[in-house]
Amino acid sequence: MKLSGVELRRIQMPLVAPFRTSFGTETSRDVLLLRVVTGEAEGWGECVALSGPLYSSEYVDAAADVLSRFLIPALAAHGRLDANAVAPALAPFKGHRMAKAALEMAVLDAELRAEGRSMARELGAVRDRVPCGVSVGIMSSVGELLDAVGGYVDAGYVRVKLKIQPGWDVEPVRAVRERFGDDVLLQVDANTAYTRADTRHLARLDPFGLLLIEQPLDEEDVLGHAELAKVISTPVCLDESITSARAAADAISLGACAIVNVKPGRVGGYLEARRVHDVCAAHGVPVWCGGMLETGLGRAANVALAALPGFTLPGDTSASDRYYRTDITAPFVLEDGHLPVPAAPGIGVEPIPGELEAVTTKTQWLSL
Ligand code: NPQ
Ligand code: MG
């Protein structure tokens, strides 16, 4: 493929309700989209970086900057190109995995559309629908949390994940177990809010039969997770620490995780995400697909990834209306707790022009 240009488009999507995690509260999602234009087709990429460097070191303005000043010009210098060549072409630039992932996603989408192949087929999907979980933010009271969880259970979500932090952990978990019973698949996500000194406290979650505890400790404290895993009975799952397939292999070898959350943006793209899946499968480690409050574009690609055979746990691939009243694509709607895997060429969905325009705050065209 020959690239003719890339459009960077910033959109602002209001959330249906504030989303609170251990690192902060968001009421709106500031997203960077890429549209790659080639001689044969166009492709869409979505950058999952947040407005501030709170989940990881990346943030949207930095992603737009590194894309326009370094990553896109480096691709342009390559001449003819396919999606497999994107990561090697960008490898001289350190870090910025979410920015790289967005660019690779857009090139992959364009390539697959040109060839009439779906992302699901390309990645190796073995299912045409995937079971869905939901991530439930920190609330101001347990009563409010129980109402929220009740709504999601009624909507059909097959798994519930509670965001936790010191002061909001044992009590909400106990309350959800008491109200909804032992059969609900329940897990927690701390987004690095604890330290090794909290080991005894985290062991208090053991009696609740959680599926997993996600990223209790610092992103760089892989050894700490291995030490913690020896003491607590809840399986440890890593999110922030897993930045590549190699990081996944190392963490598994160290005994730092029994389960891995796969997020394509965090590892530099869907092709590396598939390698994380492969490494985990080779070690018998179950994986599930994480979420970054994607629009329908990123959601479509995530659902395709979640259809791979090693994704044996329900992911954070929720329906569009979990986060957005109006999505920029046709909405993903929960059917019997599942989302359908798009089968059309590329990511299988496209923005609705009017909806996209309505949320756009800025566009920039880079001619190549
Ligand atoms: C996680 N996602 O697994 C992330 C964190 C995350 C679905 O829990 C705005 C505010 C956007 C908070 C994107 C889920 C966010 C956000 C992702 C948190 O750790
Ligand atoms: Mg997480």
Side-chain angles (χ1 to χ4, degrees), residues 321-353:
D321 70 359
R322 157 68 184 92
Y323 295 112
Y324 306 111
R325 198 170 311 286
T326 314
D327 205 338
I328 56 169
T329 64
F332 278 87
V333 178
L334 212 60
E335 296 162 23
D336 188 26
H338 291 66
L339 287 184
V341 178
I347 60 172
V349 302
E350 45 280 311
I352 299 163

Side-chain angles (χ1 to χ4, degrees), residues 34 134 144 165 173 178 186 189 206 231 239-240 243 246 274 284 293-294 313 341 365:
L34 300 181
V134 61
E144 200 185 332
Q165 65 180 15
V173 166
E178 279 176 3
L186 186 64
D189 185 0
D206 286 350
V231 179
D239 173 359
E240 284 88 335
T243 52
R246 177 190 285 156
R274 177 171 56 185
L293 283 58
E294 288 87 348
L313 292 169
V341 178
W365 172 254

Side-chain angles (χ1 to χ4, degrees), residues 161-319:
K161 159 168 138 180
L162 304 182
K163 289 293 195 178
I164 59 167
Q165 65 180 15
W168 182 266
D169 43 35
V170 177
E171 194 195 347
V173 166
R174 178 185 292 117
V176 168
R177 268 283 177 253
E178 279 176 3
R179 172 71 65 89
F180 300 98
D182 291 340
D183 288 346
V184 56
L185 299 181
L186 186 64
Q187 63 190 56
V188 294
D189 185 0
N191 288 110
T192 77
Y194 297 88
T195 71
R196 296 184 192 197
D198 296 311
T199 299
R200 292 317 320 165
H201 181 72
L202 291 172
R204 293 181 59 207
L205 292 169
D206 286 350
F208 300 104
L210 301 176
L211 277 175
L212 59 90
I213 179 168
E214 182 178 346
Q215 197 73 41
L217 310 179
D218 189 77
E219 174 182 335
E220 296 182 356
D221 196 8
V222 176
L223 188 58
H225 284 97
E227 298 294 325
L228 178 68
K230 288 185 215 157
V231 179
I232 67 174
S233 66
T234 306
V236 173
C237 170
L238 291 177
D239 173 359
E240 284 88 335
S241 296
I242 305 300
T243 52
S244 65
R246 177 190 285 156
D250 289 356
I252 292 165
S253 296
L254 256 177
C257 60
I259 298 167
V260 168
N261 168 336
V262 182
K263 283 183 184 163
R266 198 192 61 225
V267 301
Y270 285 87
L271 300 179
E272 183 72 3
R274 177 171 56 185
R275 289 189 281 271
V276 175
H277 161 274
D278 294 348
V279 156
C280 291
H283 285 85
V285 167
V287 301
W288 53 279
C289 185
M292 292 294 288
L293 283 58
E294 288 87 348
T295 73
L297 300 173
R299 195 164 299 282
N302 285 350
V303 169
L305 180 69
L308 268 62
F311 285 79
T312 54
L313 292 169
D316 282 343
T317 50
S318 304

